[in-house]
Amino acid sequence: MTLPDTMARIARIALHPVLHVMGEENAYGMARGLVSARGATIVEIETNTGTSGFGEAWGPPGFCAPYLGFVEADWRGARLSDHGALFHRVLARNYHFGLQNGLMALLSGLDMAVHDALGKEHGLPAHALIGGRARDTVTVYGSGGYFTADPAQGLAAQLPRFRDFACCKIKIGRGVADDVARVRLARETLGDAMRIAVDANGNYGLDQVQASMRAISPFGIEWYEEPLGPLDEEGFRALYARREIPVATGEALYTAFAFDRLLAPRAIDIAQPDLALCGGLSQGRLIGQLCTLRHARLSPHVWGTGLGLAAAVQLVAAQPAYPGVAESEVDPPWIEYDVAENPLRDELFREPLLPSGGAIAVPSTPGLGVEPDRAALERFRPR
């Protein structure tokens, strides 16, 4: 007996580029350089039942749009439940492209949108689709401490924004002396109770990172993020055995394959996938499982819109507290929460996710838990 096919199907795919311009005078960023604008692409799928699901694709507006033609014919008309097979079909057919490109960003946004739509179709939050609810709240750390074009907006002016968090992360990576000065300022300003992490954005080589670690470790550093470039896998393996601070990386790694190359040999302590470019919640779930298998920590990177934040909350909500249990977690997974002004997170949605007491409550509403405001999508569309 053949059962009737009642699963919702994808009827339409639409891309909504969004952009927030700060201007050159207000530019801020990392050791590799500053940015004067922030952007992303909101991916929308509409089902044949009239349900809309939304996801986020990483990158400047328009970055992933040229790749839509490679996926639209297969995805339009497909069952929502077949998204995993569709994802791998696209990769297999276009293997010459590699993985680190706008195609993966688009697939990430599609995967998020499918989980949002599936949740809405079945009345379930997205975390129920990827393993269930392991915790009711997720802890967030304040992320900022940027290098700035305007010295008046520099590190000292940014540090008060961390007061509501138990942990913060600041940018370093412009030389050992500068690293020490920035970390010392943060420690003296925020006090001994504040947990401080640092992020070099891969601007160092192995010998430089080791010198930086030796110099700043006396200040008590939680983790050293992107100490090396994402392609320096041999460097990560060498650093791990000599590290004086836990090593974190992942925002520039695409799919679970890249994370496995660092997690399998135990070359990092903390995996930091960005769900808007690593492959969405499906790949995020695989990366989370790799963390469990390799006894590493999971801490999603978040930079773009409120959809990326919502997806990270859903992923961490479903991440088991292995090797312990949720009631006695020594250090629950952290999610990044940018303390810089970000209207693409705070103004693009009807009810954005907001931290309270250093945590975000896991939404119980169907899907990802946030809904774009269509008027805001139009307001932030690049002109």
Side-chain angles (χ1 to χ4, degrees):
M1 177 180 177
T2 302
L3 296 175
D5 185 358
T6 59
M7 176 58 67
R9 293 175 178 268
I10 299 172
R12 184 177 69 93
I13 301 173
L15 303 182
H16 305 280
V18 291
L19 181 69
H20 168 57
V21 178
M22 293 93 71
E24 294 296 335
E25 68 281 3
N26 295 315
Y28 58 86
M30 56 180 174
R32 289 177 181 259
L34 311 184
V35 295
S36 59
R38 298 175 69 150
T41 299
I42 303 300
V43 180
E44 178 185 6
I45 62 168
E46 184 179 336
T47 71
N48 59 332
T49 64
T51 299
S52 284
F54 296 90
E56 177 187 329
W58 178 90
F63 175 65
C64 66
Y67 291 95
L68 183 58
F70 288 97
V71 306
E72 191 168 17
D74 282 336
W75 286 65
R76 195 174 60 247
R79 291 184 293 263
L80 290 176
S81 58
D82 291 341
H83 62 90
L86 293 169
F87 179 94
H88 289 285
R89 182 185 299 173
V90 171
L91 296 190
R93 285 181 175 174
N94 302 286
Y95 68 97
H96 293 91
F97 294 173
L99 300 174
Q100 302 180 72
N101 51 42
L103 176 60
M104 187 54 60
L106 175 62
L107 291 173
S108 301
L110 279 169
D111 183 86
M112 274 191 221
V114 166
H115 280 86
D116 191 35
L118 272 171
K120 291 172 180 175
E121 287 280 339
H122 296 283
L124 296 170
H127 60 261
L129 306 173
I130 57 171
R133 195 183 188 99
R135 52 185 57 83
D136 295 328
T137 61
V138 298
T139 54
V140 295
Y141 67 88
S143 177
Y146 297 107
F147 295 103
T148 60
D150 180 1
Q153 300 180 43
L155 179 61
Q158 298 171 57
L159 291 175
R161 303 174 189 174
F162 296 131
R163 295 293 187 187
D164 294 333
F165 299 88
C167 179
C168 71
K169 184 177 73 183
I170 66 171
K171 298 294 186 181
I172 61 168
R174 290 185 172 179
V176 173
D178 189 64
D179 293 351
V180 171
R182 292 175 70 83
V183 171
R184 177 181 286 115
L185 176 61
R187 177 58 71 206
E188 291 176 350
T189 302
L190 299 172
D192 292 338
M194 176 65 73
R195 302 172 70 172
I196 298 174
V198 298
D199 183 2
N201 288 105
N203 204 43
Y204 283 150
L206 181 59
D207 58 335
Q208 297 164 319
V209 168
Q210 289 180 282
S212 176
M213 281 190 172
R214 285 194 298 269
I216 66 173
S217 61
F219 293 95
I221 304 301
E222 292 295 314
W223 69 82
Y224 199 119
E225 186 167 324
E226 286 201 304
L228 302 165
L231 299 181
D232 191 4
E233 295 172 7
E234 183 176 353
F236 273 101
R237 290 192 293 271
L239 176 63
Y240 189 81
R242 311 171 195 171
R243 73 198 188 289
E244 298 184 38
I245 300 170
V247 173
T249 198
E251 69 178 74
L253 299 182
Y254 292 68
T255 77
F257 291 107
F259 283 88
D260 191 44
R261 291 195 293 271
L262 293 176
L263 287 168
R266 297 294 293 270
I268 59 174
D269 298 286
I270 305 169
Q272 299 176 305
D274 188 314
L275 301 180
L277 66 79
C278 78
L281 277 167
S282 294
Q283 288 294 305
R285 181 61 174 150
L286 277 176
I287 294 162
Q289 291 170 334
L290 287 174
C291 287
T292 298
L293 291 172
R294 304 299 181 186
H295 304 272
R297 295 160 60 189
L298 176 70
S299 178
H301 171 268
V302 179
W303 165 257
T305 79
L307 279 165
L309 174 63
V313 168
Q314 297 288 341
L315 176 65
V316 169
Q319 179 70 6
Y322 181 86
V325 295
E327 294 77 17
S328 60
E329 274 187 296
V330 175
D331 203 6
W334 295 97
I335 290 179
E336 183 170 21
Y337 190 88
D338 178 21
V339 297
E341 179 188 359
N342 185 4
L344 299 184
R345 179 192 62 205
D346 301 331
E347 300 177 25
L348 201 58
F349 302 89
R350 296 175 186 173
E351 295 183 14
L353 296 181
L354 299 173
S356 177
I360 292 177
V362 177
S364 57
T365 52
L368 292 178
V370 295
E371 193 74 15
D373 181 283
R374 292 195 181 273
L377 286 176
E378 185 59 31
R379 187 166 77 251
F380 287 105
R381 182 180 292 275
R383 307 299 177 188

